[in-house]
Each structure stands twice: as structure tokens, then as C-alpha cells.
Amino acid sequence: MARIFSVDIGTTSIGFAVVEHDHGTQSGSILRLGVRVFPEARDPDGTPLNQQRRQKRMARRQLRRRRQRRRLLNEILNKAGLLPAYGSTGPQGWDAVMSADPYALRKRGLTRCLQPYELGRTLYHLAKRRHFRGRDLEEDVEEISQTEAAEEKEAASNREATLAELNTTGTTLGAWLADKSADADKRKPPRERRRGFHANRAAVEKEFDKLCEAQEKHHAVLRDRDFKHQIHTAIFAQRPVFWRKNTLGECRFMPGEPLCPKGSWLSQQRRMLEKLNNLALVGGNARHLIAEERAAVLKHLQTQASMTWGKVRSTLKPFFEDGAEKRLRFNLEFGGESKLLGNPLEAGLAKIFGPSWTDHPHKQAIRDAVHERLWHADYGEIGTQRVVIRDAAERKRRRAEAVRGFIDDLGVTSEQAAALEGLTFPTGWEPFSTKALEEFLPELEAGARFGALVNGPEREDWRDRTFPHRERPTGEVLDRLPSPAVKEERDRIAKLRNPTVVRAQNELRKVVNNLIALYGKPDLIRVEVARDVGRSKRDREELLSANRKQERRRKDAIKDLADKQIFEPSRDTVEKWLLWKECRERCPYTGDQIGFDA
């Protein structure tokens, strides 16, 4: 008799069973059944429990940096005689100078001479209200709530409206705000407050330049380039955006190899082929695409960022008769995907090079080099720990160097190189290394499904040959699952980035160890993992939305059946109604209309 532990892992529960099974007689008995229920490591809306703590820490850091920036600017201006010492008293003390209306000074400083302390007050106010800079490059941002997304969308709309009005009037931000009615609430003098007006930092920098240009004739210190640069840096300097490389994980097929960037041609080709190879027809004629159909779709998809489902149907028209392609439905389409993903980078290259791209002698070299060279122009690496976005001037210089390299090394014309310089790429990394994806690619091009290559038991021999050093169970025999008190286990858990997975693993350890204490070590453990254990908040929201949509469809089915005198229909009846509607009330084989009674 074999003793089997079976566990079903969910996001908030672990079901378990202990079974004794005789493989010879195919009989056995259940020794124990149960479930361990636990709270998910997230709030009910899917927010991680530590998110609020992280936000508070970020707010403290922001306040500290803001205080340091203003203190530095105060020291520079005080040394130049443009501001009194902080905390000084009297008619020319700190409080007296700071009580002046900064908006009126910002407007007056463009046309008339400001007194030294007035000029200092104006510059100090620019540092306090330097506004939103925006991202140097579009990055993958952390998932945010719908409320936060709506607030950011509204703020972005306000910034655009402000910029449009500044361009129309030809004035500076400070002068424009000086003419706006003040907000008199919250115990502040009316002249001190202007709320609800959003702008970009570029508008503040433009005002700084105009203000310095207007005041240079009155204050010799502003004609000193080093001093002006010092002030500009103190007001506008931005710490580089960075992320820690140790949070990216490691390729489990080739440990130690660098991960493949999502913006590379290889990554985009992999994702395109994964979607294409998973594409299948649904309904009565459910099946995967045959080789000729797949090749026809691939021919169009290869040089497009995406294909609409209507375009996919028209591409498959030669393989169907009597307009049957119009009735085709696809699994990915029903899964909620609005279009079939292509290779955006390949599409961009085909557009840049035109007809010559098909037989270009350096085709693959350009595919590989364009992302690698432009990525290193935009990003810098600090040792093996961090990746940072370079500042705008450095990015521009390095991209120009990359363009010259394309011309010298790859036979690219100056016009084509200029177009390549303007390419942008998605950010982030694959969970697989570049070398691993290079091994996957020939199999994907042959039509293999990516899920089977990664996990399918039918491709185990291929994985053994191709990735002999991939991560596998250690083979170590343990009496119990290790506790987080053990350093190795603690280090392993520390690498996990999903709190739901961490909580589920800890609860699984308790369940299995308790069962071992009661029944001894099992001969076999069978595990079923819920798909949403490792899902992100956004994925879970999309899944919930899809479930609700399906619920509405089932309710529509039940209501329609009730209208037709079929009350309390069975599950099979509801499924039959859904399939009937999915096929547009027609036979998928003959195209004949199917009436309700049939």
C-alpha cells in the first residue's frame, strides 16, 4: 500500500487528503480529509499588506530629500547675499522675507529689477513649486488602484490644459498663476496659495531661464555661469530612476545567465510565436491551426505590431469555403484579448528599411544590435546591483554614437540610422535568459507550444538534452519541510516577490509537516496549484472581470430559458444555450440555422 498526500493549494486555503492506495488492486482508503483556511497576504482589494508601510516610507524619504534640497539652496543664496540666514529675525529676517507674495515677485521679476532678497525669495519659491517632471523614459509602473489611476489621469489632463494656455498667452507659469484668483482657505494668506493648477517642470525651468536673463543686468552674480548652474542644480536636480537587479529573479533553465530584456527582438519574437502557437478555433470546429493556416497568419503577423481578429479571419479566407471564415471564433479572442500580438520591433524595422528589409545582408545583426546598443545608451549599470536611467543629455549623446555605429558596422544609411535612433522599447525583463530563449526559438518556429516546452511532460527529454544544468529538485531527503528559521530556506523565501505565494508556501509547510507527524512520511505527494496563486493584482482583476462577464451570460441564458418555459435549467442546458449563441444559432458544420426548439 502506498501512502499518498494530496494537496490543493489556493490563495486562501489548502485542501488536503491522506490516502492509502494499492496500485495492484486499484483500491484504497481515505485516512483523512480537511482544509486549512488562512487570510491572504493582501487586502480585500488585492493590495499587498506591506504596501501602505512602503508608501509611508517613501513619503518620509521624499520629505527628507525636499528638506535637504531647500536647505542646500538656502545656503547657496545666503552666501551670495540673496537670502537671510534661516531663522533670522527683524525687518530683513527670514520670516519677513518669506511673507512676500512669491507669485507677484515671479511676475514682476520678468520686467523690473528685484531687490536681492526678493530675487532670493523668488528662486526659493521655484524650488518649492517645481512641479511634476514626468518619467525620463516610459517605465513599467507598479500596479495602482483605479482611484489613483483616475487621479493621475485628471492631473495629467490639467497639466496639458495649463501648458496649452501658457503657449497661447506666451507668458511664464509664475506670471500666469499671479493673475489667477487665490485660494483663501486653510489658515494661509490668500496671496500664498494657488491650488488645483498642475504644470510640468519644464515650464518652471523655462521660467527660471527667463527670470535669470531679465535679472542679470541688475545682479552681477547671475552672470556667473558656475553660480547659475549651481542654483539650477539645487532647484531642479533629479535623482536617477533605478531598480535593483536582485529583484529580477534568475533563469531556471540557465542559472547565472543574464535575463532577456522584453524590448529585444528575441523576446518579442518569442511572445509572438507563443500566442500564435496557442491560437485555436473554438466552437463545433474546435482545433488548433493547421501548418498552412499558421504559416499564412505568421506571414502577415511577422511585420505587424498586431492583427485584429477580423484581419486574422480574412487571412484564413482561402482555407474555408462559402464565407465560413466569417464565423470563425478564436480561443484568445474569447479569452479577452483584443488582438493577436505581433512583433512590434520587427514591424518597426520593416517600416524603416522598406522592401530592402526582406533580403538585407545584416538583417539578424540589426535585430540583435538595435535594442542592445540603444538600451545601453539609455541605461547605465552600477556594478551588479542597480540599473539607472541616464539623464537626457547623456542619452542623446550616446544614442548619436550608436547611430554612427549602425552606419559604420551594419551598412545602414544616415536616414535609416536616424529612424533607428527614434525607436522606443518596452521595459522589463523576461523570466528567462537570452541563451535559453535562443534554444526555445527554433522549437517555437516549428510550431511547438511554449507551455509544453517549459513544463510539458512530453518535452522532458528535450529539456534534459537542452538544459542539463537547469534548476531541479536537489534530491536531498528530508524528514520534514524546512522551517524559515533555516538560513537556506529563509534566503529562498526572500527571493520571492509575491506575498500570496509566500503565505501559501508557509501554510503548505505547516499542513505537510503536521500530516507527517500524524502518519509518517508519504510515498508520494500530489499537488494541484490554483492559477491565481502567482497572479498579480492586475491579472486577478482581469480574471474577476472575466468571471463576472461569464456570470452575466449565464444569467441571460437562464432568463431566456425561463421565458421559453424551461424553469430551473440544468447546467448542461445552460451550456447548450451558450454554445448555441456562440455559434450564432447556426450549425458550425453545415451553416444551417438552428431554431430554439431544435
Side-chain angles (χ1 to χ4, degrees):
M1 297 286 286
R3 183 164 297 162
I4 302 173
F5 287 179
S6 298
V7 290
D8 182 357
I9 306 174
T11 57
T12 58
S13 65
I14 294 179
F16 61 87
V18 181
V19 178
E20 283 193 340
H21 184 254
D22 187 338
H23 291 285
T25 62
Q26 292 297 306
S27 62
S29 60
I30 299 174
L31 303 182
R32 194 178 189 94
L33 286 173
V35 62
R36 182 180 181 90
V37 180
F38 49 89
E40 189 179 2
R42 297 174 184 265
D43 288 329
D45 64 350
T47 303
L49 295 178
N50 64 346
Q51 179 167 306
Q52 185 178 12
R53 183 180 64 192
R54 186 168 65 247
Q55 289 173 339
K56 297 289 186 183
R57 184 172 66 247
M58 292 174 65
R60 291 194 300 271
R61 182 185 302 157
Q62 187 178 33
L63 290 172
R64 183 179 68 250
R65 290 175 176 175
R66 185 180 299 168
R67 185 170 58 248
Q68 291 172 343
R69 184 172 66 247
R70 293 177 187 173
R71 183 178 298 165
L72 172 62
L73 181 62
N74 180 32
E75 291 174 355
I76 295 172
L77 295 176
N78 175 252
K79 188 175 180 180
L82 297 180
L83 270 185
Y86 179 77
S88 57
T89 59
Q92 295 293 311
W94 178 264
D95 291 338
V97 170
M98 289 296 138
S99 65
D101 181 3
Y103 294 102
L105 293 176
R106 286 168 66 172
K107 181 178 180 179
R108 180 152 55 90
L110 299 173
T111 56
R112 285 181 282 173
C113 173
L114 296 178
Q115 296 301 315
Y117 283 1
E118 291 178 332
L119 175 60
R121 173 70 178 106
T122 304
L123 296 173
Y124 190 82
H125 190 256
L126 293 181
K128 289 184 68 174
R129 298 284 185 267
R130 60 183 196 163
H131 287 275
F132 179 76
R133 177 179 176 178
R135 299 184 185 91
D136 288 322
L137 292 171
E138 281 302 319
E139 292 294 315
D140 287 338
V141 295
E142 191 173 347
E143 294 154 358
I144 60 176
S145 67
Q146 292 183 348
T147 302
E148 292 171 321
E151 291 174 352
E152 171 55 29
K153 185 177 180 179
E154 181 181 0
S157 177
N158 288 340
R159 285 193 293 268
E160 292 175 2
T162 300
L163 182 61
E165 189 162 348
L166 290 178
N167 291 335
T168 301
T169 59
T171 187
T172 63
L173 176 63
W176 182 75
L177 288 172
D179 294 332
K180 293 292 180 182
S181 59
D183 180 1
D185 64 353
K186 295 188 178 179
R187 304 187 305 277
K188 288 286 186 180
R191 64 179 181 276
E192 287 286 348
R193 298 184 62 80
R194 301 292 190 282
R195 292 291 185 260
F197 301 108
H198 300 269
N200 290 321
R201 190 170 303 171
V204 185
E205 292 190 69
K206 186 176 181 180
E207 181 179 351
F208 172 83
D209 292 335
K210 286 190 174 183
L211 184 65
C212 289
E213 183 181 353
Q215 294 297 317
E216 279 180 0
K217 64 185 78 170
H218 309 296
H219 301 278
V221 69
L222 291 179
R223 295 194 287 271
D224 184 343
R225 285 191 174 184
D226 292 338
F227 177 77
K228 184 178 175 181
H229 176 72
Q230 195 177 11
I231 295 178
H232 186 280
T233 302
I235 296 175
F236 299 110
Q238 185 87 6
R239 292 173 181 266
V241 177
F242 74 90
W243 60 90
R244 294 178 177 85
K245 295 177 72 173
N246 61 3
T247 64
L248 301 179
E250 192 173 61
C251 176
R252 61 190 173 103
F253 291 98
M254 290 188 170
E257 290 292 335
L259 297 180
C260 181
K262 286 184 178 180
S264 67
W265 180 88
L266 179 61
S267 170
Q268 296 187 34
Q269 186 76 356
R270 192 277 301 171
R271 286 182 291 139
M272 179 195 72
L273 292 173
E274 176 185 2
K275 294 292 184 183
L276 178 61
N277 295 347
N278 287 337
L279 187 64
L281 307 179
V282 296
N285 53 351
R287 60 173 175 80
H288 283 276
L289 301 184
I290 61 176
E292 293 80 3
E293 294 169 344
R294 177 183 175 278
V297 175
L298 179 60
K299 181 179 178 181
H300 291 275
L301 191 64
Q302 182 70 65
T303 55
Q304 298 181 24
S306 62
M307 285 178 69
T308 64
W309 296 116
K311 179 65 175 177
V312 176
R313 292 184 188 96
S314 64
T315 302
L316 295 176
K317 182 177 180 179
F319 303 96
F320 295 86
E321 297 179 353
D322 301 328
E325 81 283 348
K326 297 179 181 178
R327 297 189 293 273
L328 295 179
R329 294 295 179 271
F330 304 99
N331 56 343
L332 300 183
E333 183 181 13
F334 272 94
E337 298 191 24
S338 59
K339 51 194 174 183
L340 183 60
L341 181 68
N343 187 330
L345 179 53
E346 181 74 10
L349 293 174
K351 183 177 180 180
I352 290 171
F353 288 90
S356 65
W357 180 242
T358 305
D359 301 312
H360 199 286
H362 302 291
K363 191 173 186 177
Q364 192 60 46
I366 293 174
R367 287 169 171 172
D368 297 336
V370 65
H371 175 269
E372 179 183 0
R373 297 188 185 187
L374 294 180
W375 189 92
H376 284 288
D378 293 338
Y379 300 90
E381 298 184 64
I382 302 177
T384 59
Q385 301 298 317
R386 292 183 179 183
V387 173
V388 301
I389 300 177
R390 303 185 193 276
D391 63 61
E394 181 73 0
R395 292 201 310 273
K396 184 176 180 180
R397 183 182 66 80
R398 287 177 173 268
R399 281 208 164 212
E401 292 178 356
V403 164
R404 289 194 293 273
F406 290 135
I407 296 173
D408 296 339
D409 304 337
L410 301 174
V412 175
T413 67
S414 56
E415 292 80 7
Q416 292 167 345
L420 291 174
E421 185 180 3
L423 288 176
T424 58
F425 309 95
T427 57
W429 281 266
E430 292 269 3
F432 311 101
S433 66
T434 298
K435 288 188 175 181
L437 289 188
E438 288 173 348
E439 298 291 344
F440 280 115
L441 195 60
E443 302 296 324
L444 292 172
E445 290 173 340
R449 285 188 276 282
F450 189 65
L453 294 175
V454 172
N455 294 314
E458 68 275 18
R459 302 305 295 262
E460 184 68 23
D461 291 341
W462 176 81
R463 287 193 293 272
D464 288 340
R465 294 192 308 271
T466 310
F467 307 111
H469 303 297
R470 71 184 189 277
E471 286 186 355
R472 305 189 194 192
T474 61
E476 182 182 2
V477 177
L478 301 172
D479 292 328
R480 297 165 65 87
L481 294 183
S483 165
V486 179
K487 182 180 183 305
E488 291 78 7
E489 180 67 7
R490 189 166 61 248
D491 292 343
R492 186 191 66 79
I493 293 176
K495 295 180 180 179
L496 299 176
R497 308 298 298 173
N498 190 318
T500 301
V501 173
V502 174
R503 172 65 63 86
Q505 286 198 1
N506 284 335
E507 299 298 335
L508 175 65
R509 172 179 53 81
K510 296 173 186 177
V511 169
V512 172
N513 287 345
N514 287 337
L515 293 178
I516 290 175
L518 289 172
Y519 300 101
K521 293 170 67 173
D523 299 299
L524 186 67
I525 296 181
R526 299 190 184 277
V527 180
E528 180 176 353
V529 181
R531 291 181 178 181
D532 52 353
V533 169
R535 291 182 186 271
S536 67
K537 178 182 174 183
R538 182 177 301 168
D539 291 338
R540 291 146 70 89
E541 288 176 348
E542 291 176 352
L543 180 63
L544 182 61
S545 175
N547 289 341
R548 287 173 177 167
K549 184 177 179 181
Q550 183 67 4
E551 286 176 8
R552 288 195 296 269
R553 295 180 66 219
R554 299 186 74 87
K555 288 180 180 178
D556 291 341
I558 293 171
K559 182 177 182 300
D560 186 64
L561 290 168
D563 292 342
K564 294 177 171 62
Q565 306 304 309
I566 300 179
F567 302 101
E568 298 184 5
S570 66
R571 181 185 180 91
D572 287 344
T573 303
V574 173
E575 294 287 350
K576 192 180 295 183
W577 187 95
L578 292 173
L579 290 171
W580 178 56
K581 287 296 183 180
E582 183 181 305
C583 295
R584 298 188 177 186
E585 304 179 13
R586 289 185 177 275
C587 173
Y589 300 102
T590 65
D592 295 339
Q593 188 76 26
I594 301 176
F596 178 81
D597 293 337

